[in-house]
């Protein structure tokens, strides 16, 4: 069936959908046995992300099982520092490890000379996925591209990996604002280019993941989250004026409102700490809202999941709404709980 309605895009364009559209952050990944099987054969995480056939196959896996309204291209937010020349590896069971960049003099490793070339497998994976979606009968499934937001990517670049307290990156931001601005500017420019290239390759919406937005005070949030995000939105829109852009400043609390009012994003993804009643009253009048089941509630399943889903849908269904979870699917999540969640959302639609 050609020209089937893509409900996910309808909501982002502020039209009324036929049903509640849904997709889940990290819907591809380790909770799926078929992903684990492929990973055994394929080697490391980056090898998979930079192999267009494998990346496309992994993107398709959850769609075949659950038929979400959107697929998200399988990649990672850390491909940007990698493509800019920073050393990156994913250590099994430990997460990403980068050579930390602690100040201006360290930034000289970063350059644009091979940026688009290194990321070209992602663009190829996008066009392969578009073909597969069509060929396998998922005409109404949209394809999402993404990048990390400058603040969150800078956290990994400066810390050299994950962090609990972000001491090094905050030290840099607070003590040497000039140097930190330099890094953020490089990330604004590269992220915008990366999103534009993904849109040219065929994605129909993009999401900006700011996973550590909640680590900043209100003033710093404005400086390092809101301003760079607005710049990316403007750069992307200068090439693609109508592309839906979803922002996800995770754990930003009250700052969600200023983010929505000041960045120009088309929709907002909320984490599970946000009360859906508040989101309905304060955010949904500006933009459609995406969210926000606690991923651990999905892992647990049972009656508590049913009740949480009912509340989220009850509070948000009368405005622009895309069902999602508040953060990525946890690797220990039973596949049957994801099946049950999809059935519940369809039942309430
Ligand atoms: O949502 C999807 O299905 C698309 C793919 C996707 C991945 N990472 C694949 C991945 C997306 C959108 C991301 C975004 C991402 N990556 C974020 C932002 C969202 C968030 O979760 O906060 C961040 C902070 C990262 C950085 C990152 N990548 C970390 C900290 C880790 C290790 C932690 C972990 O979960 O293992 C990764 C690795 C990673 N990225 C995996 C996947 C499926 C696990 C790789 C594996 O071991 O197989």
């Amino acid at each position: 069936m050609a020209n089937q309605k893509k409900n996910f895009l309808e909501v982002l364009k502020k039209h009324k959908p036929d049903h509640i559209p849904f997709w889940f952050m990290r819907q591809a990944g380790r909770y799926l046995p078929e992903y684990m099987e492929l990973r055994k054969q394929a080697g490391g995480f980056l090898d998979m992300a930079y192999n267009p056939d494998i990346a496309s196959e992994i993107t398709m896996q959850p769609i075949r099982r659950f038929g979400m309204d959107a697929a998200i291209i399988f990649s990672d937010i850390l491909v940007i520092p990698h493509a800019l020349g920073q050393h990156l590896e994913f250590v099994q069971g430990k997460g990403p490890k980068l050579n930390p960049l602690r100040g201006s003099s360290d930034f000289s490793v970063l350059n644009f000379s091979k940026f688009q070339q290194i990321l070209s497998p992602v663009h190829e994976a996008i066009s392969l996925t578009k073909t597969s979606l069509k060929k396998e009968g998922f005409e109404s499934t949209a394809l999402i591209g993404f990048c990390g937001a400058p603040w969150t990517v800078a956290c990994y670049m400066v810390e050299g990996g994950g962090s609990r307290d972000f001491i090094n990156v905050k030290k840099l931001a607070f003590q040497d604002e000039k140097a930190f601005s330099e890094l953020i500017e490089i990330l604004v420019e590269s992220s915008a280019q990366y999103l534009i290239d993904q849109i040219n390759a065929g994605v129909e919406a993009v999401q900006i993941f700011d996973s550590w937005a909640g680590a900043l005070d209100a003033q710093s949030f404005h400086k390092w989250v809101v301003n760079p995000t607005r710049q990316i939105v403007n750069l992307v829109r200068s090439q693609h004026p109508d592309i839906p852009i979803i922002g996800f400043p995770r754990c930003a609390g009250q700052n969600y409102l200023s983010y929505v009012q000041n960045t120009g994003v088309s929709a907002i993804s909320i984490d599970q700490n946000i009360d859906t009643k508040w989101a309905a009253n304060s955010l949904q009048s500006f933009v459609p809202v995406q969210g926000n089941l606690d991923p651990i509630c999905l892992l647990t399943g049972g009656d508590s999941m049913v009740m949480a889903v009912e509340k989220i849908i009850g509070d948000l269904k009368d405005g622009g709404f895309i069902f999602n979870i508040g953060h990525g699917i946890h690797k220990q999540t039973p596949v049957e709980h994801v099946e049950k969640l999809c059935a519940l959302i369809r039942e309430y639609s």
Side-chain angles (χ1 to χ4, degrees):
M1 263 188 292
N3 298 323
Q4 248 187 31
K5 194 166 167 180
K6 296 187 178 183
N7 280 282
F8 167 79
L9 295 177
E10 294 294 320
V11 170
L12 293 177
K13 293 183 172 162
K14 303 199 172 176
H15 303 152
K16 233 183 145 35
D18 301 330
H19 61 255
I20 298 172
F22 66 91
W23 68 282
F24 309 128
M25 291 187 253
R26 287 273 177 99
Q27 61 192 23
R30 287 166 298 186
Y31 75 105
L32 284 178
E34 57 270 37
Y35 172 86
M36 294 310 287
E37 192 52 43
L38 202 56
R39 196 172 81 155
K40 262 201 281 183
Q41 303 161 18
F45 174 76
L46 274 182
D47 298 323
M48 298 198 299
Y50 286 135
N51 180 320
D53 292 312
I54 292 179
S56 169
E57 173 62 22
I58 295 173
T59 305
M60 290 298 296
Q61 286 177 344
I63 306 303
R64 293 187 191 119
R65 249 186 206 266
F66 309 111
M68 288 93 172
D69 291 272
I72 179 162
I73 194 68
F74 180 77
S75 181
D76 199 81
I77 63 165
L78 299 179
V79 296
I80 285 196
H82 182 249
L84 288 171
Q86 187 173 13
H87 179 78
L88 165 68
E89 53 189 311
F90 282 86
V91 188
Q92 192 96 328
K94 284 211 175 130
K97 200 171 168 298
L98 303 92
N99 278 354
L101 309 179
R102 296 280 157 85
S104 219
S105 57
D106 295 340
F107 301 159
S108 56
V109 298
L110 305 174
N111 68 87
F112 282 88
S113 62
K114 290 196 184 145
F115 184 75
Q116 280 173 307
Q117 185 195 328
I118 292 176
L119 294 174
S120 65
V122 181
H123 314 139
E124 243 178 276
I126 289 168
S127 58
L128 287 174
T129 306
K130 294 275 284 190
T131 308
S132 296
L133 285 170
K134 216 180 254 163
K135 218 166 64 189
E136 297 184 33
F138 298 107
E139 286 89 356
S140 57
T141 304
L143 184 58
I144 307 173
F146 71 92
C147 70
W151 161 251
T152 288
V153 176
C155 286
Y156 287 96
M157 293 173 84
V158 175
E159 298 291 342
S163 174
R164 248 170 209 278
D165 44 25
F166 305 99
I167 288 186
N168 295 296
V169 67
K170 283 186 167 180
K171 238 180 172 171
L172 184 61
F174 296 157
Q175 286 180 341
D176 192 350
E177 194 173 319
K178 190 165 167 287
F180 194 60
S181 305
E182 208 187 302
L183 178 59
I184 293 292
E185 260 171 53
I186 294 172
L187 289 169
V188 164
E189 207 184 309
S190 50
S191 308
Q193 187 58 53
Y194 184 43
L195 292 179
I196 290 166
D197 289 339
Q198 291 180 63
I199 299 161
N200 289 337
V203 301
E204 298 156 288
V206 294
Q207 177 152 323
I208 302 173
F209 286 87
D210 218 340
S211 305
W212 304 117
L216 291 170
D217 63 84
Q219 268 184 309
S220 308
F221 181 87
H222 202 82
K223 210 183 273 175
W224 307 121
V225 170
V226 171
N227 287 343
T229 303
R230 185 179 54 237
Q231 287 171 7
I232 293 175
V233 168
N234 290 343
L235 285 165
V236 172
R237 292 253 170 82
S238 71
Q239 304 280 313
H240 295 282
D242 298 323
I243 191 80
I245 303 173
I246 308 167
F248 180 39
R250 193 172 71 88
C251 293
Q254 292 185 336
N255 291 326
Y256 266 101
L257 188 57
S258 88
Y259 184 97
V260 158
Q261 290 174 319
N262 296 302
T263 57
V265 293
S266 338
I268 186 83
S269 202
I270 55 172
D271 63 82
Q272 64 271 15
N273 299 333
I274 296 294
D275 177 17
T276 39
K277 267 250 152 48
W278 179 82
N281 293 330
S282 310
L283 305 177
Q284 226 174 11
S285 49
F286 296 104
V287 289
V289 171
Q290 177 178 274
N292 74 341
L293 182 70
D294 186 333
I296 305 304
C297 190
L298 173 58
L299 185 155
T300 317
D303 288 348
S304 57
M305 179 169 91
V306 176
M307 270 152 53
V309 170
E310 275 174 12
K311 167 154 173 63
I312 293 168
I313 294 180
D315 286 347
L316 292 169
K317 72 172 180 336
D318 293 333
F321 173 47
I322 294 161
F323 196 102
N324 207 313
I325 46 181
H327 195 192
I329 296 186
H330 193 280
K331 64 180 175 191
Q332 288 165 20
T333 307
V335 170
E336 309 81 67
H337 293 186
V338 180
E339 259 159 30
K340 170 80 181 168
L341 175 58
C342 297
L344 276 172
I345 302 165
R346 290 189 169 113
E347 193 180 311
Y348 288 113
S349 281

